[in-house]
Amino acid sequence: MANEHSPLLVHGVYSMMGDTKDSTGGSAGVTGEGSPKSNPRKLNTFFGVMVPTILSMFSIVLFLRTGFVVGHAGLLHGFLMLFVAYFIISLTILSICAISTNGAVEGGGAYFMISRSLGPEFGGSIGLMFYLAKVCACGVYVLGLVEAILDIFGKDPGSAVSHGVRVLPQGYWYTVLYSSVVLLLCMVVCLVGAHIYAKASFIILLVVTVSLISIIISPLILSPQHFNITHTYGNNHTVTVNPSYTGFNSTTLKNNLGPQYSLDYSTNTMMSFATVFAVMFTSCTGIMAGANMSGELKNPSESIPKGTIMAVSYTFTVYVLLFLLLGSTCDRLLLINDYAVFQRVNVWPPFVTIGVYCASLSAAMCSMIGASRILHALALDQLFGLPLAPATVTSSSGNPWVSVLYTWALVQCTLFAGQLNVIAGIVTVFYLLAYAAVDLACLALEWASAPNFRPTFQFFSWHTCLLGIISCVVMMFVINPVYSSASIVLLLLLLLFLHYRSPTSSWGYISQALIFHQVRKYLLMLDSRKDHVKFWRPQVLLMVANPRSSCQLICFVNQLKKGGLFVLGHVQIGDLDLLPADPVQSQYNFWLSLVDKLGVKAFVDLTLSPSVRQGTQHLLRITGLGGMKPNTLVLGFYDNCYPEDYFLQDPVFCEGDRGEGDHFGVDLPSLQANFPPVRHAESPRALHPEEYVSIIQDAIKMGKNVCLGRYFFQLPPETKGIRGNDNVDTIDVWPTNLLSPGSASYADVSSLFLLQMACVLNMANRWRRARLRIFVCVESELGDQGWLAKEEQFRELLGKLRIRAAIKIVAWDNVARMCRGPNSESQKLTEDFLCAVNALLREHSSTAAVRFLYLPHPPSSSQLSQQYLTQLDTLTRDLGPTLLIHGVTPVTCTEL
């Protein structure tokens, strides 16, 4: 099974079999000779998902900002904020449940789900941002815990004498010192292992639950009280308020129903619905705490949805209860002017103090351990290269201790901010961006309609995913437009970086599934019965015997397609009945790698056939789909020249990195070895003249235009097109059937097709500066001056066709006379006549970059095939890059 995957998925943490080795050389799933390693998956739904999610959603906000929200917003606006916030996170939870129940979820939590759904570029960029959010969140919780400790035990900054329990000195560096000690404690717990944290978090949950119980029963015990609270604003401007605690009182409840946004005493700024909602929403950013423990869960696909839904339901119930409790017992002045209102109106204030400490410490540990798991998953996937390579190391129990050290160092850097308000805003924005990415992943999977997307959790749809994305993005900009814009810019930069690195992935690309879904839909809409000549474009099937000798022609045709279909066709001689397997299937990767190296926009279609002619017939019939099928066949010229090896000329093939392959296992040596050497003097011809001419006849019978390319190996490989000199190159067009002087016509289907192809080439970027010249052959000695009328008619035709070209009149009386001989009624293509035509072409088109010539219809008798090819060979000898064209379909239009 390991052989079917790239090295990304052979780590034990991603192996469903658990029997592969990680990049450090250690076994990720077994030790020794197959003895099982201790299983790091020890946590169940309650300890692994419910407990960390509940504690992350409570954290500091529950104890220190619930009164602030109710005081400013009132109960009605407060409940509206609560419902909106939980509505947004509920939509994301539905997406999390759908993705996590669609397959095995490994370590990395949200990153694993996003990357395996959206691919390495999007998953890696979102994963790194989610990791940074976790790092900053850990710093926020640690700084918040230190602030809570200093509120109780910190000395008065204006006094050098300790009073009671206030013994801890305060100041910036002391705050950093205390925060570092708390962070060190969190790191020790994380190094010991996630199961230790899970057991510690359960104890913390019990303590927080006791604190909540004390808050709920306090109104039943305490009698009404009055307080004096003094705040200092600006320079020595103090304000004293006299709030009261009324106990359960209908008047208090009525007064607290509506909003009363006022000045915040800590920031001295005016509050609004948006600012209060931003504070309240920070309590909802912990819904992925359980998902981030996926690597330690016994059954993550079952535990994540169940535990997350139960935890969110529990926290919602608690917040609703506390909102009602505060709104009916405390007047608005008390709620607005004291963050620690729960501590002030508690039967035993230390209950709340201990609850604040425990919730903050638990949230910090949860963030650190979640961040380390995300970093470990990023390191295993090798998306960011060597900087994260050490983070793949784990302990014997599977704990990624190096990732923990990485995370500890980064969190330590955030602690130098000194105040949690400095880094709190970016945390929420990053979380929302990650939630939007999860919704996007689920939406993409749903829209792709992949048969393997069959989550056992069915309570979602693309409507919930789309609504979740919109809600998260709107909330990001409501909370902080600057941070939101900066985070999106950072996301785009990471996307570009990972796209440039093009990391290998065997996870599957959701973009491919979406493209397939859309292409199929539009191909069904592309009705060939609605084709019109106004919108005709070349759709080319180029038959390639050996790419070593055909690369210049491949690149030239790529410029000739004008946004149309371009297919490289190849026929391998053989009989499937006599072979154990189809040899063609293994060739596709080599041909596609060739297409990538040449930089052409082409498909590849290979077939196995007893003869080249039959194979070409197959490809002409079956290549393409719906309205996208080839209308033009391009062949290399059949002659006795020995081709040159393009692989020895282009630095891409002869000087590239020979050790590193592409993302699909094809390196340069194997690519070169796959294609045989070019034909030489002792090589047998795989194609006979009769078969070659029959292929041309078959294409014409099937209604396909035919082009024969000769001497295109003379095009410089550096530019694959127009020559890189100061002279303006030319495209020469000879629309006359030079092998039939008496029947010359400039307006038949084939001539017009030839003109159209030359015009299309002139539109290509590499040929846009080239001049188009059209040569009109006339017999000036006839004396009837009819050729002047023909010239005028031809100029008028070019004007109607909007073709900008210089018309060159070529008198070929002597040449035409050689064809007719003594009897002017008969024509005979003698060797002298063909050489004279060739000399005429070389005289007028010797400096052209490429020439377009009229290809006569092939003879119906196979006995004349060799003669036909000899005539074409003499006609085009030593001309340089030349395209012989025979058109059978109308392609020009003079109508609007």
Side-chain angles (χ1 to χ4, degrees):
M1 181 175 179
N3 293 334
E4 299 178 3
H5 298 279
S6 71
L8 289 178
L9 298 185
V10 300
H11 301 284
V13 71
Y14 291 127
S15 173
M16 296 177 64
M17 301 296 292
D19 58 358
T20 54
K21 293 181 179 295
D22 62 18
S23 60
T24 63
S27 173
V30 296
T31 56
E33 294 296 325
S35 59
K37 190 178 181 179
S38 60
N39 185 10
R41 295 180 175 273
K42 301 177 180 179
L43 303 181
N44 57 20
T45 301
F46 181 76
F47 286 103
V49 181
M50 281 193 65
V51 172
T53 302
I54 290 172
L55 291 177
S56 295
M57 296 188 71
F58 281 164
S59 64
I60 300 176
V61 176
L62 175 71
F63 295 102
L64 299 183
R65 290 298 183 271
T66 305
F68 164 84
V69 173
V70 176
H72 285 282
L75 275 178
L76 296 181
H77 278 200
F79 280 133
L80 176 62
M81 293 178 184
L82 192 65
F83 290 141
V84 170
Y86 272 81
F87 174 73
I88 292 174
I89 65 172
S90 297
L91 295 174
T92 303
I93 290 171
L94 297 180
S95 300
I96 293 174
C97 294
I99 297 176
S100 61
T101 58
N102 189 53
V105 179
E106 306 295 343
Y111 160 70
F112 183 90
M113 291 188 285
I114 296 171
S115 62
R116 269 45 176 188
S117 300
L118 298 182
E121 292 94 342
F122 206 97
S125 55
I126 285 291
L128 184 61
M129 295 184 69
F130 194 45
Y131 170 73
L132 295 176
K134 282 285 184 183
V135 168
C136 295
C138 184
V140 166
Y141 297 139
V142 170
L143 289 171
L145 174 59
V146 170
E147 286 186 10
I149 292 174
L150 292 178
D151 283 342
I152 304 298
F153 301 102
K155 287 183 180 179
D156 186 349
S159 173
V161 182
S162 302
H163 299 282
V165 296
R166 293 184 171 273
V167 295
L168 295 178
Q170 298 194 53
Y172 170 78
W173 289 109
Y174 281 112
T175 300
V176 173
L177 175 62
Y178 303 148
S179 301
S180 300
V181 173
V182 172
L183 181 62
L184 190 62
L185 174 63
C186 295
M187 184 191 68
V188 170
V189 174
C190 294
L191 286 175
V192 172
H195 60 285
I196 300 297
Y197 158 73
K199 300 220 172 19
S201 63
F202 176 65
I203 297 174
I204 292 173
L205 179 62
L206 291 179
V207 174
V208 171
T209 302
V210 171
S211 301
L212 287 174
I213 293 173
S214 72
I215 291 173
I216 293 172
I217 66 173
S218 291
L220 303 176
I221 300 175
L222 294 179
S223 58
Q225 301 179 39
H226 298 276
F227 307 99
N228 290 323
I229 300 177
T230 302
H231 296 301
T232 302
Y233 298 92
N235 296 325
N236 299 324
H237 174 60
T238 59
V239 175
T240 302
V241 293
N242 304 106
S244 61
Y245 166 76
T246 64
F248 290 107
N249 189 292
S250 60
T251 303
T252 303
L253 178 63
K254 182 178 179 180
N255 292 336
N256 286 333
L257 286 178
Q260 188 176 323
Y261 300 106
S262 57
L263 216 60
D264 176 31
Y265 73 85
S266 64
T267 61
N268 200 25
T269 56
M270 191 67 184
M271 293 292 100
S272 64
F273 183 92
T275 54
V276 175
F277 183 76
V279 172
M280 199 274 309
F281 194 81
T282 57
S283 65
C284 303
T285 57
I287 61 173
M288 288 190 180
N292 291 331
M293 302 289 291
S294 58
E296 283 75 28
L297 297 175
K298 293 179 181 177
N299 188 356
S301 295
E302 179 182 348
S303 297
I304 290 175
K306 285 185 179 179
T308 304
I309 291 175
M310 288 190 290
V312 170
S313 301
Y314 173 72
T315 57
F316 177 77
T317 303
V318 170
Y319 275 113
V320 169
L321 188 60
L322 293 182
F323 274 33
L324 288 172
L325 188 69
L326 288 174
S328 58
T329 60
C330 302
D331 69 6
R332 193 178 297 273
L333 280 178
L334 179 60
L335 297 176
I336 290 177
N337 287 280
D338 190 3
Y339 290 154
V341 61
F342 284 134
Q343 184 177 353
R344 190 179 290 272
V345 295
N346 197 272
V347 289
W348 192 52
F351 272 138
V352 178
T353 303
I354 295 172
V356 172
Y357 293 167
C358 290
S360 302
L361 186 63
S362 171
M365 287 191 294
C366 181
S367 295
M368 175 173 279
I369 202 166
S372 64
R373 268 50 180 180
I374 295 172
L375 183 65
H376 180 62
L378 283 167
L380 287 177
D381 289 343
Q382 303 174 10
L383 298 182
F384 294 94
L386 289 178
L388 297 186
T392 60
V393 179
T394 61
S395 65
S396 59
S397 61
N399 187 32
W401 61 272
V402 177
S403 297
V404 173
L405 295 179
Y406 266 64
T407 305
W408 167 79
L410 288 177
V411 176
Q412 183 64 54
C413 294
T414 66
L415 297 181
F416 287 101
Q419 295 181 354
L420 63 87
N421 290 341
V422 177
I423 53 178
I426 195 66
V427 174
T428 303
V429 170
F430 277 177
Y431 273 125
L432 282 171
L433 195 59
Y435 296 166
V438 173
D439 288 323
L440 179 62
C442 190
L443 177 67
L445 289 170
E446 179 71 7
W447 274 355
S449 301
N452 282 322
F453 183 58
R454 299 189 299 270
T456 57
F457 183 87
Q458 295 292 325
F459 300 100
F460 77 101
S461 70
W462 69 267
H463 304 85
T464 61
C465 300
L466 184 60
L467 190 57
I469 294 172
I470 296 174
S471 302
C472 289
V473 173
V474 169
M475 277 311 309
M476 284 171 56
F477 284 91
V478 167
I479 291 173
N480 195 309
V482 176
Y483 284 164
S484 301
S485 302
S487 64
I488 292 175
V489 170
L490 178 59
L491 173 64
L492 294 176
L493 291 176
L494 288 173
L495 278 170
L496 291 175
F497 170 75
L498 290 176
H499 181 73
Y500 177 76
R501 285 194 78 243
S502 298
T504 310
S505 166
S506 63
W507 316 327
Y509 293 81
I510 189 63
S511 59
Q512 295 296 303
L514 290 172
I515 289 171
F516 177 88
H517 184 71
Q518 293 301 108
V519 167
R520 181 195 62 84
K521 180 171 69 174
Y522 286 116
L523 276 175
L524 290 172
M525 297 170 61
L526 187 62
D527 192 343
S528 59
R529 296 169 297 181
K530 299 178 182 178
D531 286 346
H532 194 279
V533 66
K534 287 191 298 185
F535 307 110
W536 180 90
R537 67 182 70 231
Q539 304 203 83
V540 182
L541 171 63
L542 171 60
M543 298 302 299
V544 179
N546 189 346
R548 288 180 177 270
S549 59
S550 307
C551 287
Q552 291 98 325
L553 182 59
I554 293 173
C555 296
F556 176 78
V557 175
N558 182 64
Q559 300 156 32
L560 195 63
K561 67 183 186 301
K562 187 54 179 174
L565 179 69
F566 181 24
V567 181
L568 299 183
H570 174 73
V571 179
Q572 183 164 338
I573 305 300
D575 188 348
L576 192 58
D577 292 337
L578 305 177
L579 298 171
D582 185 3
V584 166
Q585 298 303 318
S586 60
Q587 301 296 312
Y588 271 97
N589 275 357
F590 295 101
W591 282 84
L592 292 173
S593 296
L594 173 75
V595 167
D596 292 338
K597 287 189 176 295
L598 291 176
V600 298
K601 298 178 180 178
F603 298 95
V604 173
D605 215 346
L606 312 178
T607 188
L608 182 71
S609 179
S611 69
V612 176
R613 181 184 179 185
Q614 290 185 26
T616 305
Q617 289 178 0
H618 297 164
L619 294 178
L620 282 172
R621 292 184 186 280
I622 66 175
T623 295
L625 198 61
M628 292 189 68
K629 297 184 74 70
N631 55 32
T632 303
L633 174 67
V634 180
L635 302 171
F637 195 79
Y638 191 97
D639 57 21
N640 294 319
C641 297
Y642 298 115
E644 298 182 16
D645 193 339
Y646 180 84
F647 284 10
L648 301 178
Q649 302 174 20
D650 195 328
V652 173
F653 293 95
C654 58
E655 298 178 6
D657 188 350
R658 307 182 66 86
E660 182 178 354
D662 62 12
H663 314 312
F664 305 98
V666 178
D667 56 13
L668 189 56
S670 62
L671 179 66
Q672 292 178 336
N674 180 72
F675 299 115
V678 296
R679 182 171 54 87
H680 51 83
E682 289 152 10
S683 301
R685 297 294 294 260
L687 192 64
H688 299 291
E690 294 78 8
E691 189 176 8
Y692 180 83
V693 176
S694 297
I695 292 174
I696 300 175
Q697 289 176 329
D698 294 340
I700 295 174
K701 289 178 183 178
M702 298 169 69
K704 310 297 183 183
N705 310 293
V706 179
C707 302
L708 308 180
R710 189 177 193 188
Y711 294 125
F712 277 93
F713 64 86
Q714 296 180 7
L715 286 178
E718 302 81 23
T719 59
K720 308 182 182 95
I722 197 167
R723 286 174 285 187
N725 52 35
D726 296 332
N727 299 324
V728 178
D729 287 296
T730 58
I731 302 170
D732 286 359
V733 182
W734 296 75
T736 309
N737 185 355
L738 298 176
L739 300 187
S740 181
S743 61
S745 173
Y746 304 106
D748 65 4
V749 171
S750 190
S751 296
L752 293 177
F753 181 82
L754 191 147
L755 290 171
Q756 181 81 333
M757 294 297 282
C759 187
V760 166
L761 180 64
N762 201 203
M763 294 178 181
N765 289 333
R766 295 184 184 274
W767 296 87
R768 196 176 298 276
R769 295 180 56 194
R771 290 190 298 112
L772 190 61
R773 300 191 303 180
I774 301 177
F775 293 86
V776 179
C777 297
V778 299
E779 296 183 55
S780 58
E781 296 179 357
L782 292 179
D784 58 2
Q785 300 299 315
W787 64 272
L788 293 175
K790 290 183 179 179
E791 178 189 354
E792 189 60 32
Q793 291 174 1
F794 190 66
R795 291 185 184 276
E796 183 179 351
L797 176 63
L798 292 182
K800 290 181 179 180
L801 297 176
R802 291 89 60 203
I803 296 178
R804 298 179 181 179
I807 299 178
K808 304 293 184 181
I809 303 300
V810 178
W812 69 331
D813 301 77
N814 296 332
V815 177
R817 192 179 303 116
M818 295 173 64
C819 178
R820 294 192 183 95
N823 184 2
S824 61
E825 297 294 331
S826 63
Q827 293 185 358
K828 186 177 182 181
L829 302 181
T830 64
E831 181 71 18
D832 292 339
F833 168 75
L834 295 171
C835 291
V837 175
N838 176 258
L840 184 71
L841 291 170
R842 285 190 282 115
E843 176 186 353
H844 292 278
S845 293
S846 60
T847 60
V850 68
R851 299 145 196 85
F852 286 70
L853 302 184
Y854 191 110
L855 174 66
H857 196 289
S860 56
S861 174
S862 61
Q863 296 177 355
L864 301 176
S865 298
Q866 183 62 62
Q867 179 184 340
Y868 177 72
L869 292 178
T870 302
Q871 293 171 357
L872 297 181
D873 177 72
T874 306
L875 179 69
T876 59
R877 186 175 299 154
D878 300 326
L879 282 184
T882 303
L883 202 64
L884 291 156
I885 299 175
H886 185 90
V888 297
T889 56
V891 295
T892 56
C893 181
T894 59
E895 298 176 357
L896 184 62

